[in-house]
Amino acid sequence: GGPKATPGGPKAMPGGPKAMPGGPRPAGEDGGGVSGLLRRLARLEDSRQRAAELFRWLLAPLAPAEFLGRHWEREPLLLRRGDPDYYAGLFSTADFDAALRGGEVHFGTHLDVTSYAEGVRETHNPSGRALPAVVWDFYQNGCSLRLLCPQAFSPTVWHFLSILQEQFGSMAGANTYLTPPGTQGFAPHYDDIEAFVLQLEGKKHWRVYRPRTDAEVLPQFSSANLTQAELGEPVLETVLEPGDLLYFPRGFIHQGDCLPDAHSLHITVSSYQRNSWGDFLEKLLPAALQMALEEDVEYRRGLPMDYLRYMGVANSDTVNAQRTAFVEKVQSLIKKLVDYAPIDAAVDQRAKSFLHDCLPPVLTPSEKVQSVYGFPARWQDGGPRNVDILITKDTEVRLLRHGVIRLCNEEAGVMLYYTTENSRVYHKEEPKFLELDPEYTDSIEFLLSSYPNHVSVDNLPCETLEEKISLATLLFEKGVLTTKKPLIQV
């Protein structure tokens, strides 16, 4: 698999990114590691601020502005923190084992068993449930284990990603990789995501290579497996230890192998899959063309009867007035198309897709008490108790998160998409939405602009008090709204 890392520490290749110094972060009263971090973030009222602070922690000690200016979509970044407990509590081999024992992990769907030896990458997935005895036998025999959806099995990973996704405005996903000592699980390749490698346990030797051609810079799709002969010299070579972070943009080729004396467990946090300008234009341009066809007769006029005679590849070397006029006409129609482009509506459609991708929010204890998820309805003494949701004009409400909803004007009507009923497994559920009367649009926008402050139901800009209470009750029942105080004191 190539040369091993220089003994004694990381090796930064000439001209490549430099390692950033780091150190333990003060834990304070909430404790250290990820659990303490999440407790500190829970005290922030604004979900956007929580996301920004988590992003800052992920990159510390490098400032987010410097990362975005120098590294994002440009250059790899290595952060060596010298703090093996930095990611404590996020995920561990004990969590991996617990997921297997939970009985819900299946080969292929949730877990891949892989190996890479003598230039050959293989997948060894049996069918059915991933039983611990079978999985650990594979590992003992030198196979790597990739858990494809740790957020479905780990509440902490779910909580972590559900906050971070609001910073990116794009799905934040994760895979965990457990590799035995002295082995490599995957062939060199590049991915279609921005990758943050968080070393959780053990050590792993990494080599990162620049894109080989301009066409591989920020690619739309991941590569096939590559051979060592197809690679040049790495731009970065290092050994990651617990607490370290390695970032590389999509298109950068990478491979990781374990040293003989230690296993490796890392989690790769990813985002920005198919989130480019080109992907946005794929939504926008068909909508612009449809609008132009409806509103402008120039787009509906017929093509010249004889255009097939002078246009086409066979005529591409010909120079004449007819060809010139045809090309100029096409250019003018394309240029004019901008005037019909429903840019905001296309953004809303992208946001709608993002909300479908999102993990559902993780509620803090106080948020749960103030939401429908903590509502004390129950069966007691032969009948249901505390069932009625009694919202009044004086009830103070706010959105659960700023990024929990998106209002879209569609052909079928005004739709409010929301994330609170999403699954922790990617797209296991269909998109969740409510069809609203158009007169409720102002109230939704009012709730968005008021966040993170509470507002009384009476201040919602609906025509009647009945409509105000009806809308607030509906949104509360979907988990979208929380109240300043629990509706029923238990």
Side-chain angles (χ1 to χ4, degrees):
K4 296 299 179 190
T6 305
K11 173 184 173 187
M13 305 303 291
K18 299 292 187 274
M20 299 294 298
R25 321 303 294 179
E29 61 184 20
D30 295 303
V34 174
S35 298
L37 168 72
L38 294 176
R39 282 192 289 270
R40 292 193 295 276
L41 293 178
R43 290 203 291 270
L44 299 175
E45 289 295 319
D46 193 327
S47 62
R48 295 165 295 187
Q49 190 180 355
R50 289 182 197 174
E53 287 300 316
L54 179 54
F55 190 53
R56 187 184 310 279
W57 175 91
L58 183 67
L59 297 170
L62 187 66
E66 186 175 352
F67 169 76
L68 294 171
R70 292 179 52 193
H71 296 278
W72 179 252
E73 295 190 328
R74 292 180 180 88
E75 293 286 342
L77 169 68
L78 170 64
L79 295 175
R80 295 192 63 80
R81 294 196 172 99
D83 179 3
D85 295 324
Y86 197 80
Y87 303 128
L90 179 57
F91 196 80
S92 66
T93 44
D95 294 326
F96 207 126
D97 185 67
L100 295 176
R101 295 181 182 283
E104 298 299 322
V105 179
H106 287 74
F107 289 111
T109 305
H110 310 113
L111 183 71
D112 283 332
V113 179
T114 68
S115 65
Y116 178 74
E118 299 179 357
V120 178
R121 152 84 158 83
E122 293 184 270
T123 301
H124 307 280
N125 292 341
S127 59
R129 179 184 161 190
L131 293 166
V134 177
V135 173
W136 294 129
D137 184 60
F138 274 123
Y139 176 84
Q140 193 168 264
N141 283 283
C143 290
S144 288
L145 307 175
R146 174 172 65 180
L147 188 61
L148 296 167
C149 190
Q151 58 270 27
F153 308 101
S154 164
T156 308
V157 175
W158 167 28
H159 196 173
F160 188 90
L161 297 177
S162 71
I163 295 173
L164 198 58
Q165 67 192 3
E166 194 164 348
Q167 173 69 23
F168 289 124
S170 176
M171 175 189 169
N175 291 332
T176 58
Y177 299 82
L178 181 60
T179 310
T183 69
Q184 181 169 335
F186 293 87
H189 65 282
Y190 61 77
D191 292 317
D192 58 351
I193 46 90
E194 301 297 300
F196 298 83
V197 177
L198 285 60
Q199 189 69 26
L200 305 176
E201 295 177 10
K203 295 184 290 187
K204 199 163 202 178
H205 167 226
W206 283 89
R207 284 164 286 171
V208 181
Y209 310 78
R210 290 195 181 282
R212 298 169 298 173
T213 65
D214 289 346
E216 291 181 358
V217 174
L218 303 179
Q220 272 192 299
F221 304 102
S222 298
S223 72
N225 293 329
L226 304 173
T227 65
Q228 296 295 145
E230 295 176 271
L231 309 180
E233 288 296 310
V235 67
L236 183 148
E237 185 169 3
T238 190
V239 175
L240 290 187
E241 298 185 1
D244 294 345
L245 177 139
L246 174 62
Y247 159 81
F248 43 84
R250 55 195 190 276
F252 273 74
I253 300 164
H254 52 278
Q255 58 180 327
D257 61 272
C258 269
L259 304 180
D261 61 340
H263 78 285
S264 169
L265 177 69
H266 79 263
I267 185 168
T268 297
V269 174
S270 63
S271 192
Y272 261 60
Q273 186 178 49
R274 301 300 303 273
N275 200 43
S276 68
W277 283 105
D279 296 305
F280 172 63
L281 291 174
E282 279 186 347
K283 285 278 189 189
L284 178 62
L285 293 181
L289 183 57
Q290 185 60 42
M291 197 167 292
L293 282 164
E294 292 173 4
E295 296 185 12
D296 191 334
V297 70
E298 287 300 307
Y299 290 87
R300 302 196 299 271
R301 294 194 190 282
L303 290 160
M305 286 186 183
D306 58 350
Y307 83 103
L308 295 178
R309 298 178 192 169
Y310 52 82
M311 297 305 300
V313 175
N315 301 303
S316 58
D317 293 331
T318 306
V319 178
N320 60 43
Q322 291 171 304
R323 281 185 59 83
T324 300
F326 190 94
V327 170
E328 288 177 350
K329 181 65 174 179
V330 171
Q331 291 173 339
S332 73
L333 289 173
I334 291 175
K335 193 177 295 184
K336 196 177 180 184
L337 204 57
V338 175
D339 298 334
Y340 299 99
I343 296 173
D344 287 317
V347 168
D348 286 338
Q349 289 303 304
R350 291 281 305 176
K352 165 185 164 181
S353 296
F354 167 49
L355 260 64
H356 187 206
D357 295 343
C358 276
L359 286 164
V362 177
L363 277 63
T364 66
S366 62
E367 287 172 338
K368 186 173 181 180
V369 169
Q370 294 152 6
S371 79
V372 70
Y373 297 107
F375 200 75
R378 65 195 183 281
W379 182 274
Q380 182 179 329
D381 300 330
R385 294 287 181 271
N386 297 331
V387 175
D388 295 331
I389 296 172
L390 299 175
I391 289 177
T392 71
K393 68 182 183 66
D394 297 319
T395 304
E396 293 183 272
V397 297
R398 74 166 201 172
L399 293 174
L400 174 64
R401 300 278 187 279
H402 188 269
V404 82
I405 59 170
R406 190 75 184 198
L407 200 60
C408 295
N409 283 308
E410 300 181 346
E411 286 187 19
V414 177
M415 305 296 180
L416 184 72
Y417 291 87
Y418 60 96
T419 66
T420 51
E421 295 177 4
N422 283 3
S423 168
R424 288 159 65 177
V425 176
Y426 178 71
H427 285 193
K428 185 178 180 180
E429 300 285 339
E430 292 298 311
K432 304 300 181 185
F433 64 91
L434 299 166
E435 184 174 354
L436 296 180
D437 289 333
E439 56 262 30
Y440 287 144
T441 300
D442 288 345
S443 292
I444 300 298
E445 293 174 352
F446 177 68
L447 288 167
L448 279 165
S449 63
S450 301
Y451 181 87
N453 298 318
H454 289 84
V455 295
S456 67
V457 170
D458 196 35
N459 284 334
L460 294 177
C462 299
E463 286 190 8
T464 67
L465 178 59
E466 182 182 3
E467 288 176 338
K468 296 175 184 184
I469 292 174
S470 175
L471 177 62
T473 303
L474 176 64
L475 297 180
F476 181 84
E477 288 174 345
K478 293 299 181 182
V480 169
L481 282 189
T482 60
T483 55
K484 191 170 185 178
K485 297 178 181 178
L487 288 179
I488 297 177
Q489 299 294 333
V490 179

